[in-house]
Amino acid sequence: MEANLFLLIVDIDECVENQHFCGERGICVNQLGSYLCKCPTGFSNYGNRQTQCAELNCDQYETQPGQTLPGFDSWSLLRNNCLVLSNSMLPGLTRLLPTGDVLLTLLVNTTDVVQLGLQSNGHRSSSEVTKLLRTIEISFRLIAPLLTENVTRIETNHTEVEIMVRRDKTPPEGPVSLTNENTQLDTTWETVVGDDQNYPGYAFVILLSHKNLDSLKDSTSHQSQQLMSSAVTVSVSNSNTTYLPQQVNLTFHHLQSSDVDPTCVYWSDENGPGVWSGRGCTLVMSNSNQTVCSCNHLSTFTLLNKVQQGSGQLSLVMWVGVFVALTCVVLSLITTLWCRFVSRKRRGGHRLQHEVQLHRK
Ligand SMILES: *[C@@H]1O[C@H](CO)[C@@H](O)[C@H](O)[C@H]1NC(C)=O
Ligand SMILES: *[C@@H]1O[C@H](CO)[C@@H](O)[C@H](O)[C@H]1NC(C)=O
Ligand SMILES: *[C@@H]1O[C@H](CO)[C@@H](O)[C@H](O)[C@H]1NC(C)=O
Ligand SMILES: *[C@@H]1O[C@H](CO)[C@@H](O)[C@H](O)[C@H]1NC(C)=O
Ligand SMILES: *[C@@H]1O[C@H](CO)[C@@H](O)[C@H](O)[C@H]1NC(C)=O
Ligand SMILES: *[C@@H]1O[C@H](CO)[C@@H](O)[C@H](O)[C@H]1NC(C)=O
């Protein structure tokens, strides 16, 4: 009895102390020496009892004809996962959900198959590439907060993923670096978190490398436009990444050592089905083995050998062709005129025969 009284006296009501613990919509419940956050329907803290409740939009996992990738059949699983997470009326069901690791393996396995499908399809359309990348992006937003390890890596035949998750009470700070076989990402936790007023109690950063480059070729561009490195997708818990206050740096190892000047590009799908674009990315350093790019937004990035140079080579071939053709025309004109001139000097009857002989040559 005495001990209980003592505990009651020292218990601090965290919910009164800090209104932000559970987010704007979360309900803070004080407990002896602790607290927990209850999330209203449509919100979740991914089973972490003490973090902010973030809004979940499960409609984005709806299979819409023409909007999602054929072959990606994990949508219903993701949607169910989302619905259970966002409904606190079903707390018991959370235990039945597949873990973050299982969902991640499924996603990576599926994108592998889809990439293979796009490749064997021959004529990959830009919009299919866009769908694949969007699918990966929105799936990771659901899966990453469910991962329990600080660092998770998965590698398959066509995909290599590294995910780093932090669950600190306060937003983490300082540099963060992720690497895989051919690429390195350098950024800061400040960029990963974004607006720290809305810090949901976790932060994640993802570096996904697409090893099957062919499926990411932009079908509308010149044949001469070639990827000089792997393509990588970078995703972070901050969802406002169209203009970052601080640039992220990507170091690409060239697939083959090359002295061609590369261009840093990202997959742009804002206006149309999708195309490689250099907007917002600058080249920091390049040698024959590697190139460092600095970009002010997040997306899927790669290196192209210079676009202008590609079309320049094409038109050079064209001009050489035109020059050769014109030279032939001029030469044959001169030959014909010269023949006429010569044969006119000769006497009468053999003229016609002579000309025919010359033409046969
Ligand atoms: C993913 O693919 C690997 C290798 O093919 C397989 O071992 C694993 O069981 C698959 N995982 C899932 C969840 O399908
Ligand atoms: C991965 O590639 C290896 C070697 O090419 C092949 O033997 C294996 O079947 C592939 N695995 C999958 C799941 O495609
Ligand atoms: C994971 O990171 C936290 C800090 O964010 C650290 O306290 C913990 O020891 C790490 N766990 C492992 C297994 O490295
Ligand atoms: C990226 O590179 C630029 C130029 O080298 C540097 O000033 C900046 O600090 C780098 N950013 C990160 C996050 O490493
Ligand atoms: C997104 O980030 C930019 C730059 O940090 C900021 O100016 C803008 O207000 C943010 N937008 C939203 C909707 O938070
Ligand atoms: C590129 O790599 C090769 C082999 O690893 C090395 O010999 C060469 O010095 C490197 N070049 C530069 C500019 O780093």
Side-chain angles (χ1 to χ4, degrees), residues 39-48 54 56 58 78-90 93-94 97 103 142-143 145-146:
C39 303
T41 301
F43 290 75
S44 179
N45 55 5
Y46 300 90
N48 308 316
L56 269 180
C58 298
L78 286 176
R79 186 173 156 75
N80 286 347
N81 226 66
C82 183
L83 287 172
V84 172
L85 279 174
S86 69
N87 193 338
S88 57
M89 295 296 129
L90 310 164
L93 282 183
T94 319
L97 288 177
L103 286 173
L142 183 71
I143 295 169
L146 294 171

PDB file of all heavy atoms in Angstrom, residues 39-48 54 56 58 78-90 93-94 97 103 142-143 145-146:
ATOM      1  N   CYS A  39      -4.129   5.377 -31.593  1.00  0.00           N
ATOM      2  CA  CYS A  39      -4.353   6.088 -32.854  1.00  0.00           C
ATOM      3  C   CYS A  39      -5.792   5.905 -33.312  1.00  0.00           C
ATOM      4  O   CYS A  39      -6.326   4.791 -33.246  1.00  0.00           O
ATOM      5  CB  CYS A  39      -3.412   5.552 -33.927  1.00  0.00           C
ATOM      6  SG  CYS A  39      -1.675   5.676 -33.472  1.00  0.00           S
ATOM      7  N   PRO A  40      -6.436   6.984 -33.765  1.00  0.00           N
ATOM      8  CA  PRO A  40      -7.790   6.853 -34.298  1.00  0.00           C
ATOM      9  C   PRO A  40      -7.765   6.104 -35.628  1.00  0.00           C
ATOM     10  O   PRO A  40      -6.702   5.950 -36.229  1.00  0.00           O
ATOM     11  CB  PRO A  40      -8.239   8.302 -34.490  1.00  0.00           C
ATOM     12  CG  PRO A  40      -6.984   9.082 -34.642  1.00  0.00           C
ATOM     13  CD  PRO A  40      -5.939   8.366 -33.841  1.00  0.00           C
ATOM     14  N   THR A  41      -8.920   5.638 -36.077  1.00  0.00           N
ATOM     15  CA  THR A  41      -9.009   4.925 -37.346  1.00  0.00           C
ATOM     16  C   THR A  41      -8.454   5.798 -38.466  1.00  0.00           C
ATOM     17  O   THR A  41      -8.731   6.998 -38.521  1.00  0.00           O
ATOM     18  CB  THR A  41     -10.479   4.539 -37.632  1.00  0.00           C
ATOM     19  OG1 THR A  41     -10.911   3.731 -36.555  1.00  0.00           O
ATOM     20  CG2 THR A  41     -10.610   3.772 -38.933  1.00  0.00           C
ATOM     21  N   GLY A  42      -7.657   5.203 -39.340  1.00  0.00           N
ATOM     22  CA  GLY A  42      -7.025   5.957 -40.430  1.00  0.00           C
ATOM     23  C   GLY A  42      -5.627   6.421 -40.083  1.00  0.00           C
ATOM     24  O   GLY A  42      -4.931   6.983 -40.924  1.00  0.00           O
ATOM     25  N   PHE A  43      -5.235   6.201 -38.827  1.00  0.00           N
ATOM     26  CA  PHE A  43      -3.895   6.599 -38.374  1.00  0.00           C
ATOM     27  C   PHE A  43      -3.180   5.392 -37.767  1.00  0.00           C
ATOM     28  O   PHE A  43      -3.829   4.451 -37.315  1.00  0.00           O
ATOM     29  CB  PHE A  43      -3.979   7.703 -37.316  1.00  0.00           C
ATOM     30  CG  PHE A  43      -4.434   9.015 -37.868  1.00  0.00           C
ATOM     31  CD1 PHE A  43      -5.770   9.217 -38.196  1.00  0.00           C
ATOM     32  CD2 PHE A  43      -3.529  10.048 -38.071  1.00  0.00           C
ATOM     33  CE1 PHE A  43      -6.192  10.436 -38.722  1.00  0.00           C
ATOM     34  CE2 PHE A  43      -3.946  11.261 -38.586  1.00  0.00           C
ATOM     35  CZ  PHE A  43      -5.281  11.461 -38.917  1.00  0.00           C
ATOM     36  N   SER A  44      -1.859   5.430 -37.764  1.00  0.00           N
ATOM     37  CA  SER A  44      -1.110   4.322 -37.170  1.00  0.00           C
ATOM     38  C   SER A  44       0.257   4.772 -36.681  1.00  0.00           C
ATOM     39  O   SER A  44       0.828   5.726 -37.216  1.00  0.00           O
ATOM     40  CB  SER A  44      -0.926   3.203 -38.199  1.00  0.00           C
ATOM     41  OG  SER A  44      -0.186   2.152 -37.633  1.00  0.00           O
ATOM     42  N   ASN A  45       0.750   4.096 -35.651  1.00  0.00           N
ATOM     43  CA  ASN A  45       2.164   4.272 -35.304  1.00  0.00           C
ATOM     44  C   ASN A  45       2.898   2.950 -35.471  1.00  0.00           C
ATOM     45  O   ASN A  45       3.888   2.691 -34.814  1.00  0.00           O
ATOM     46  CB  ASN A  45       2.345   4.887 -33.911  1.00  0.00           C
ATOM     47  CG  ASN A  45       1.629   4.092 -32.834  1.00  0.00           C
ATOM     48  OD1 ASN A  45       1.072   3.028 -33.099  1.00  0.00           O
ATOM     49  ND2 ASN A  45       1.646   4.597 -31.613  1.00  0.00           N
ATOM     50  N   TYR A  46       2.397   2.121 -36.389  1.00  0.00           N
ATOM     51  CA  TYR A  46       3.042   0.885 -36.820  1.00  0.00           C
ATOM     52  C   TYR A  46       3.384  -0.023 -35.643  1.00  0.00           C
ATOM     53  O   TYR A  46       4.433  -0.652 -35.614  1.00  0.00           O
ATOM     54  CB  TYR A  46       4.297   1.202 -37.639  1.00  0.00           C
ATOM     55  CG  TYR A  46       3.976   2.013 -38.876  1.00  0.00           C
ATOM     56  CD1 TYR A  46       3.974   3.401 -38.835  1.00  0.00           C
ATOM     57  CD2 TYR A  46       3.649   1.374 -40.072  1.00  0.00           C
ATOM     58  CE1 TYR A  46       3.661   4.135 -39.960  1.00  0.00           C
ATOM     59  CE2 TYR A  46       3.342   2.105 -41.203  1.00  0.00           C
ATOM     60  CZ  TYR A  46       3.354   3.487 -41.134  1.00  0.00           C
ATOM     61  OH  TYR A  46       3.035   4.212 -42.251  1.00  0.00           O
ATOM     62  N   GLY A  47       2.518  -0.043 -34.652  1.00  0.00           N
ATOM     63  CA  GLY A  47       2.734  -0.951 -33.527  1.00  0.00           C
ATOM     64  C   GLY A  47       3.771  -0.462 -32.520  1.00  0.00           C
ATOM     65  O   GLY A  47       4.023  -1.134 -31.531  1.00  0.00           O
ATOM     66  N   ASN A  48       4.376   0.703 -32.768  1.00  0.00           N
ATOM     67  CA  ASN A  48       5.284   1.283 -31.763  1.00  0.00           C
ATOM     68  C   ASN A  48       4.397   2.059 -30.807  1.00  0.00           C
ATOM     69  O   ASN A  48       3.790   3.044 -31.185  1.00  0.00           O
ATOM     70  CB  ASN A  48       6.290   2.232 -32.422  1.00  0.00           C
ATOM     71  CG  ASN A  48       7.008   1.572 -33.568  1.00  0.00           C
ATOM     72  OD1 ASN A  48       7.435   0.448 -33.462  1.00  0.00           O
ATOM     73  ND2 ASN A  48       7.105   2.295 -34.671  1.00  0.00           N
ATOM     74  N   ALA A  54       0.548   8.557 -37.420  1.00  0.00           N
ATOM     75  CA  ALA A  54       0.622   9.175 -38.742  1.00  0.00           C
ATOM     76  C   ALA A  54      -0.549   8.700 -39.587  1.00  0.00           C
ATOM     77  O   ALA A  54      -1.017   7.567 -39.431  1.00  0.00           O
ATOM     78  CB  ALA A  54       1.937   8.794 -39.407  1.00  0.00           C
ATOM     79  N   LEU A  56      -2.621   7.209 -42.563  1.00  0.00           N
ATOM     80  CA  LEU A  56      -2.368   6.158 -43.543  1.00  0.00           C
ATOM     81  C   LEU A  56      -3.437   6.232 -44.626  1.00  0.00           C
ATOM     82  O   LEU A  56      -4.620   6.215 -44.321  1.00  0.00           O
ATOM     83  CB  LEU A  56      -2.455   4.783 -42.872  1.00  0.00           C
ATOM     84  CG  LEU A  56      -1.196   4.164 -42.302  1.00  0.00           C
ATOM     85  CD1 LEU A  56      -1.532   2.817 -41.691  1.00  0.00           C
ATOM     86  CD2 LEU A  56      -0.147   3.998 -43.380  1.00  0.00           C
ATOM     87  N   CYS A  58      -4.841   4.069 -47.250  1.00  0.00           N
ATOM     88  CA  CYS A  58      -4.807   2.700 -47.780  1.00  0.00           C
ATOM     89  C   CYS A  58      -5.333   2.625 -49.207  1.00  0.00           C
ATOM     90  O   CYS A  58      -5.142   1.620 -49.891  1.00  0.00           O
ATOM     91  CB  CYS A  58      -5.604   1.760 -46.873  1.00  0.00           C
ATOM     92  SG  CYS A  58      -4.920   1.653 -45.204  1.00  0.00           S
ATOM     93  N   LEU A  78      -0.684  -5.760 -49.304  1.00  0.00           N
ATOM     94  CA  LEU A  78      -0.292  -4.453 -48.772  1.00  0.00           C
ATOM     95  C   LEU A  78      -1.504  -3.697 -48.261  1.00  0.00           C
ATOM     96  O   LEU A  78      -1.471  -3.061 -47.211  1.00  0.00           O
ATOM     97  CB  LEU A  78       0.418  -3.625 -49.859  1.00  0.00           C
ATOM     98  CG  LEU A  78       1.845  -4.046 -50.213  1.00  0.00           C
ATOM     99  CD1 LEU A  78       2.370  -3.205 -51.359  1.00  0.00           C
ATOM    100  CD2 LEU A  78       2.764  -3.921 -49.008  1.00  0.00           C
ATOM    101  N   ARG A  79      -2.598  -3.789 -49.026  1.00  0.00           N
ATOM    102  CA  ARG A  79      -3.804  -3.060 -48.644  1.00  0.00           C
ATOM    103  C   ARG A  79      -4.375  -3.601 -47.334  1.00  0.00           C
ATOM    104  O   ARG A  79      -4.741  -2.831 -46.446  1.00  0.00           O
ATOM    105  CB  ARG A  79      -4.834  -3.152 -49.772  1.00  0.00           C
ATOM    106  CG  ARG A  79      -6.053  -2.308 -49.528  1.00  0.00           C
ATOM    107  CD  ARG A  79      -6.963  -2.292 -50.734  1.00  0.00           C
ATOM    108  NE  ARG A  79      -8.322  -1.992 -50.337  1.00  0.00           N
ATOM    109  CZ  ARG A  79      -8.746  -0.786 -50.003  1.00  0.00           C
ATOM    110  NH1 ARG A  79      -7.923   0.231 -50.015  1.00  0.00           N
ATOM    111  NH2 ARG A  79      -9.989  -0.584 -49.641  1.00  0.00           N
ATOM    112  N   ASN A  80      -4.432  -4.922 -47.213  1.00  0.00           N
ATOM    113  CA  ASN A  80      -4.931  -5.525 -45.977  1.00  0.00           C
ATOM    114  C   ASN A  80      -4.071  -5.112 -44.790  1.00  0.00           C
ATOM    115  O   ASN A  80      -4.582  -4.780 -43.719  1.00  0.00           O
ATOM    116  CB  ASN A  80      -4.935  -7.054 -46.087  1.00  0.00           C
ATOM    117  CG  ASN A  80      -6.051  -7.536 -46.980  1.00  0.00           C
ATOM    118  OD1 ASN A  80      -6.953  -6.763 -47.308  1.00  0.00           O
ATOM    119  ND2 ASN A  80      -5.985  -8.782 -47.396  1.00  0.00           N
ATOM    120  N   ASN A  81      -2.770  -5.143 -45.026  1.00  0.00           N
ATOM    121  CA  ASN A  81      -1.820  -4.737 -43.998  1.00  0.00           C
ATOM    122  C   ASN A  81      -2.114  -3.315 -43.533  1.00  0.00           C
ATOM    123  O   ASN A  81      -2.158  -2.999 -42.348  1.00  0.00           O
ATOM    124  CB  ASN A  81      -0.417  -4.781 -44.596  1.00  0.00           C
ATOM    125  CG  ASN A  81       0.559  -5.458 -43.690  1.00  0.00           C
ATOM    126  OD1 ASN A  81       0.437  -6.641 -43.441  1.00  0.00           O
ATOM    127  ND2 ASN A  81       1.490  -4.706 -43.163  1.00  0.00           N
ATOM    128  N   CYS A  82      -2.314  -2.459 -44.527  1.00  0.00           N
ATOM    129  CA  CYS A  82      -2.576  -1.046 -44.275  1.00  0.00           C
ATOM    130  C   CYS A  82      -3.879  -0.881 -43.484  1.00  0.00           C
ATOM    131  O   CYS A  82      -3.931  -0.152 -42.500  1.00  0.00           O
ATOM    132  CB  CYS A  82      -2.647  -0.319 -45.614  1.00  0.00           C
ATOM    133  SG  CYS A  82      -2.888   1.451 -45.483  1.00  0.00           S
ATOM    134  N   LEU A  83      -4.914  -1.627 -43.898  1.00  0.00           N
ATOM    135  CA  LEU A  83      -6.217  -1.481 -43.246  1.00  0.00           C
ATOM    136  C   LEU A  83      -6.165  -1.938 -41.788  1.00  0.00           C
ATOM    137  O   LEU A  83      -6.738  -1.289 -40.911  1.00  0.00           O
ATOM    138  CB  LEU A  83      -7.282  -2.279 -44.011  1.00  0.00           C
ATOM    139  CG  LEU A  83      -7.702  -1.657 -45.340  1.00  0.00           C
ATOM    140  CD1 LEU A  83      -8.609  -2.591 -46.113  1.00  0.00           C
ATOM    141  CD2 LEU A  83      -8.385  -0.305 -45.102  1.00  0.00           C
ATOM    142  N   VAL A  84      -5.454  -3.031 -41.529  1.00  0.00           N
ATOM    143  CA  VAL A  84      -5.351  -3.514 -40.151  1.00  0.00           C
ATOM    144  C   VAL A  84      -4.562  -2.512 -39.301  1.00  0.00           C
ATOM    145  O   VAL A  84      -4.956  -2.176 -38.184  1.00  0.00           O
ATOM    146  CB  VAL A  84      -4.694  -4.913 -40.103  1.00  0.00           C
ATOM    147  CG1 VAL A  84      -4.421  -5.323 -38.670  1.00  0.00           C
ATOM    148  CG2 VAL A  84      -5.591  -5.934 -40.786  1.00  0.00           C
ATOM    149  N   LEU A  85      -3.455  -2.011 -39.882  1.00  0.00           N
ATOM    150  CA  LEU A  85      -2.644  -1.044 -39.144  1.00  0.00           C
ATOM    151  C   LEU A  85      -3.427   0.207 -38.791  1.00  0.00           C
ATOM    152  O   LEU A  85      -3.253   0.797 -37.728  1.00  0.00           O
ATOM    153  CB  LEU A  85      -1.430  -0.636 -39.994  1.00  0.00           C
ATOM    154  CG  LEU A  85      -0.234  -1.569 -40.002  1.00  0.00           C
ATOM    155  CD1 LEU A  85       0.789  -1.072 -40.990  1.00  0.00           C
ATOM    156  CD2 LEU A  85       0.384  -1.682 -38.614  1.00  0.00           C
ATOM    157  N   SER A  86      -4.296   0.620 -39.724  1.00  0.00           N
ATOM    158  CA  SER A  86      -4.971   1.901 -39.535  1.00  0.00           C
ATOM    159  C   SER A  86      -6.265   1.764 -38.754  1.00  0.00           C
ATOM    160  O   SER A  86      -6.995   2.731 -38.594  1.00  0.00           O
ATOM    161  CB  SER A  86      -5.255   2.542 -40.892  1.00  0.00           C
ATOM    162  OG  SER A  86      -6.231   1.787 -41.565  1.00  0.00           O
ATOM    163  N   ASN A  87      -6.560   0.565 -38.281  1.00  0.00           N
ATOM    164  CA  ASN A  87      -7.793   0.383 -37.528  1.00  0.00           C
ATOM    165  C   ASN A  87      -7.503  -0.157 -36.127  1.00  0.00           C
ATOM    166  O   ASN A  87      -7.254  -1.345 -35.940  1.00  0.00           O
ATOM    167  CB  ASN A  87      -8.723  -0.573 -38.282  1.00  0.00           C
ATOM    168  CG  ASN A  87     -10.125  -0.537 -37.713  1.00  0.00           C
ATOM    169  OD1 ASN A  87     -10.324  -0.145 -36.554  1.00  0.00           O
ATOM    170  ND2 ASN A  87     -11.083  -0.941 -38.500  1.00  0.00           N
ATOM    171  N   SER A  88      -7.540   0.726 -35.162  1.00  0.00           N
ATOM    172  CA  SER A  88      -7.192   0.327 -33.796  1.00  0.00           C
ATOM    173  C   SER A  88      -8.258  -0.575 -33.181  1.00  0.00           C
ATOM    174  O   SER A  88      -8.059  -1.146 -32.113  1.00  0.00           O
ATOM    175  CB  SER A  88      -6.990   1.566 -32.929  1.00  0.00           C
ATOM    176  OG  SER A  88      -8.157   2.348 -32.969  1.00  0.00           O
ATOM    177  N   MET A  89      -9.412  -0.719 -33.877  1.00  0.00           N
ATOM    178  CA  MET A  89     -10.457  -1.606 -33.380  1.00  0.00           C
ATOM    179  C   MET A  89     -10.049  -3.074 -33.530  1.00  0.00           C
ATOM    180  O   MET A  89     -10.664  -3.969 -32.999  1.00  0.00           O
ATOM    181  CB  MET A  89     -11.761  -1.387 -34.171  1.00  0.00           C
ATOM    182  CG  MET A  89     -12.378  -0.026 -33.980  1.00  0.00           C
ATOM    183  SD  MET A  89     -12.897   0.199 -32.277  1.00  0.00           S
ATOM    184  CE  MET A  89     -12.146   1.744 -31.898  1.00  0.00           C
ATOM    185  N   LEU A  90      -9.011  -3.302 -34.355  1.00  0.00           N
ATOM    186  CA  LEU A  90      -8.590  -4.671 -34.622  1.00  0.00           C
ATOM    187  C   LEU A  90      -7.178  -4.921 -34.095  1.00  0.00           C
ATOM    188  O   LEU A  90      -6.335  -5.434 -34.816  1.00  0.00           O
ATOM    189  CB  LEU A  90      -8.600  -4.940 -36.138  1.00  0.00           C
ATOM    190  CG  LEU A  90      -9.847  -4.571 -36.932  1.00  0.00           C
ATOM    191  CD1 LEU A  90      -9.535  -4.544 -38.414  1.00  0.00           C
ATOM    192  CD2 LEU A  90     -10.963  -5.548 -36.642  1.00  0.00           C
ATOM    193  N   LEU A  93      -5.494  -8.399 -34.520  1.00  0.00           N
ATOM    194  CA  LEU A  93      -5.115  -8.859 -35.854  1.00  0.00           C
ATOM    195  C   LEU A  93      -3.678  -8.498 -36.216  1.00  0.00           C
ATOM    196  O   LEU A  93      -3.078  -9.114 -37.079  1.00  0.00           O
ATOM    197  CB  LEU A  93      -6.066  -8.261 -36.901  1.00  0.00           C
ATOM    198  CG  LEU A  93      -7.431  -8.934 -37.007  1.00  0.00           C
ATOM    199  CD1 LEU A  93      -8.242  -8.287 -38.120  1.00  0.00           C
ATOM    200  CD2 LEU A  93      -7.269 -10.417 -37.287  1.00  0.00           C
ATOM    201  N   THR A  94      -3.137  -7.452 -35.558  1.00  0.00           N
ATOM    202  CA  THR A  94      -1.793  -7.002 -35.903  1.00  0.00           C
ATOM    203  C   THR A  94      -0.795  -8.151 -35.817  1.00  0.00           C
ATOM    204  O   THR A  94       0.131  -8.242 -36.601  1.00  0.00           O
ATOM    205  CB  THR A  94      -1.362  -5.861 -34.949  1.00  0.00           C
ATOM    206  OG1 THR A  94      -2.481  -5.013 -34.761  1.00  0.00           O
ATOM    207  CG2 THR A  94      -0.218  -5.064 -35.522  1.00  0.00           C
ATOM    208  N   LEU A  97      -0.405 -10.255 -38.972  1.00  0.00           N
ATOM    209  CA  LEU A  97       0.111  -9.640 -40.189  1.00  0.00           C
ATOM    210  C   LEU A  97       1.496 -10.173 -40.532  1.00  0.00           C
ATOM    211  O   LEU A  97       2.266 -10.502 -39.638  1.00  0.00           O
ATOM    212  CB  LEU A  97       0.222  -8.126 -39.999  1.00  0.00           C
ATOM    213  CG  LEU A  97      -1.079  -7.358 -39.953  1.00  0.00           C
ATOM    214  CD1 LEU A  97      -0.791  -5.898 -39.690  1.00  0.00           C
ATOM    215  CD2 LEU A  97      -1.836  -7.530 -41.255  1.00  0.00           C
ATOM    216  N   LEU A 103       7.191  -8.862 -46.062  1.00  0.00           N
ATOM    217  CA  LEU A 103       6.648  -7.959 -47.083  1.00  0.00           C
ATOM    218  C   LEU A 103       7.759  -7.452 -48.005  1.00  0.00           C
ATOM    219  O   LEU A 103       7.581  -7.356 -49.217  1.00  0.00           O
ATOM    220  CB  LEU A 103       5.946  -6.774 -46.421  1.00  0.00           C
ATOM    221  CG  LEU A 103       4.594  -7.069 -45.780  1.00  0.00           C
ATOM    222  CD1 LEU A 103       4.108  -5.850 -45.008  1.00  0.00           C
ATOM    223  CD2 LEU A 103       3.568  -7.471 -46.830  1.00  0.00           C
ATOM    224  N   LEU A 142       5.052   1.889 -46.584  1.00  0.00           N
ATOM    225  CA  LEU A 142       4.327   1.045 -45.638  1.00  0.00           C
ATOM    226  C   LEU A 142       5.262   0.039 -44.968  1.00  0.00           C
ATOM    227  O   LEU A 142       5.143  -0.239 -43.774  1.00  0.00           O
ATOM    228  CB  LEU A 142       3.209   0.296 -46.382  1.00  0.00           C
ATOM    229  CG  LEU A 142       2.298  -0.578 -45.515  1.00  0.00           C
ATOM    230  CD1 LEU A 142       1.412   0.304 -44.653  1.00  0.00           C
ATOM    231  CD2 LEU A 142       1.453  -1.491 -46.378  1.00  0.00           C
ATOM    232  N   ILE A 143       6.198  -0.495 -45.756  1.00  0.00           N
ATOM    233  CA  ILE A 143       7.028  -1.597 -45.274  1.00  0.00           C
ATOM    234  C   ILE A 143       8.157  -1.133 -44.338  1.00  0.00           C
ATOM    235  O   ILE A 143       8.393  -1.736 -43.288  1.00  0.00           O
ATOM    236  CB  ILE A 143       7.601  -2.394 -46.471  1.00  0.00           C
ATOM    237  CG1 ILE A 143       6.465  -3.071 -47.241  1.00  0.00           C
ATOM    238  CG2 ILE A 143       8.620  -3.417 -46.004  1.00  0.00           C
ATOM    239  CD1 ILE A 143       6.885  -3.653 -48.562  1.00  0.00           C
ATOM    240  N   PRO A 145       8.627   1.250 -42.064  1.00  0.00           N
ATOM    241  CA  PRO A 145       8.408   1.449 -40.623  1.00  0.00           C
ATOM    242  C   PRO A 145       8.134   0.144 -39.876  1.00  0.00           C
ATOM    243  O   PRO A 145       8.172   0.122 -38.653  1.00  0.00           O
ATOM    244  CB  PRO A 145       7.164   2.360 -40.569  1.00  0.00           C
ATOM    245  CG  PRO A 145       6.989   2.907 -41.927  1.00  0.00           C
ATOM    246  CD  PRO A 145       7.612   1.939 -42.871  1.00  0.00           C
ATOM    247  N   LEU A 146       7.848  -0.945 -40.611  1.00  0.00           N
ATOM    248  CA  LEU A 146       7.561  -2.223 -39.958  1.00  0.00           C
ATOM    249  C   LEU A 146       8.817  -3.053 -39.740  1.00  0.00           C
ATOM    250  O   LEU A 146       8.779  -4.071 -39.062  1.00  0.00           O
ATOM    251  CB  LEU A 146       6.584  -3.040 -40.822  1.00  0.00           C
ATOM    252  CG  LEU A 146       5.176  -2.468 -40.982  1.00  0.00           C
ATOM    253  CD1 LEU A 146       4.407  -3.265 -42.026  1.00  0.00           C
ATOM    254  CD2 LEU A 146       4.435  -2.493 -39.662  1.00  0.00           C
TER     255      LEU A 146
END
